[in-house]
Amino acid sequence: MTQPGIHAAHPARWLFALWALLAWSAAWSHTFAPALLEIRETGPGHALVRWKQPAIRALGSGLFPIMPDNCHERGEHYTDSEGTGVVESWELECAGGLTGHRLRLEGLADS
């Protein structure tokens, strides 16, 4: 027996409310999908760069590799999808090689 003024809710309403709550929390959750920076020296002063990022990232979480000052890009960038990520690759020419030079990731503090 229900009290006056209180109505028993239809079970479908509870199921919809539960579904809406779960959908909302899933939309706001953040999955862990790391970025990968691979630099492979192929010869004196030459390297191949492979930069993989998640295809879906949190808003404002852009990461960008900044190469050492002694390096410049050679040729074109190539972009491809791989699994749940986007892979960008290119060649570098580095006067004196990479050893002893510093590279950094721009945007790391914001991610």
Side-chain angles (χ1 to χ4, degrees):
M1 180 170 177
T2 61
Q3 295 178 355
I6 299 177
H7 302 284
H10 192 274
R13 288 184 187 170
W14 285 107
L15 287 175
F16 177 76
L18 179 61
W19 174 83
L21 179 63
L22 291 174
W24 177 79
S25 65
W28 286 100
S29 67
H30 182 271
T31 58
F32 179 71
L36 169 72
L37 176 61
E38 177 184 359
I39 302 174
R40 188 168 29 112
E41 286 192 295
T42 57
H46 296 280
L48 295 176
V49 179
R50 185 172 183 268
W51 173 236
K52 181 178 180 180
Q53 296 188 77
I56 299 173
R57 299 186 302 264
L59 185 62
S61 66
L63 295 174
F64 306 98
I66 308 296
M67 297 300 145
D69 291 336
N70 67 317
C71 297
H72 66 275
E73 296 176 14
R74 195 173 124 194
E76 298 181 30
H77 278 235
Y78 297 97
T79 305
D80 198 7
S81 62
E82 182 180 291
T84 59
V86 176
V87 178
E88 194 173 350
S89 56
W90 65 93
E91 291 184 50
L92 285 180
E93 192 168 312
C94 303
L98 287 167
T99 304
H101 296 277
R102 183 172 293 185
L103 63 95
R104 60 189 170 94
L105 285 174
E106 187 74 30
L108 190 57
D110 299 329
S111 66

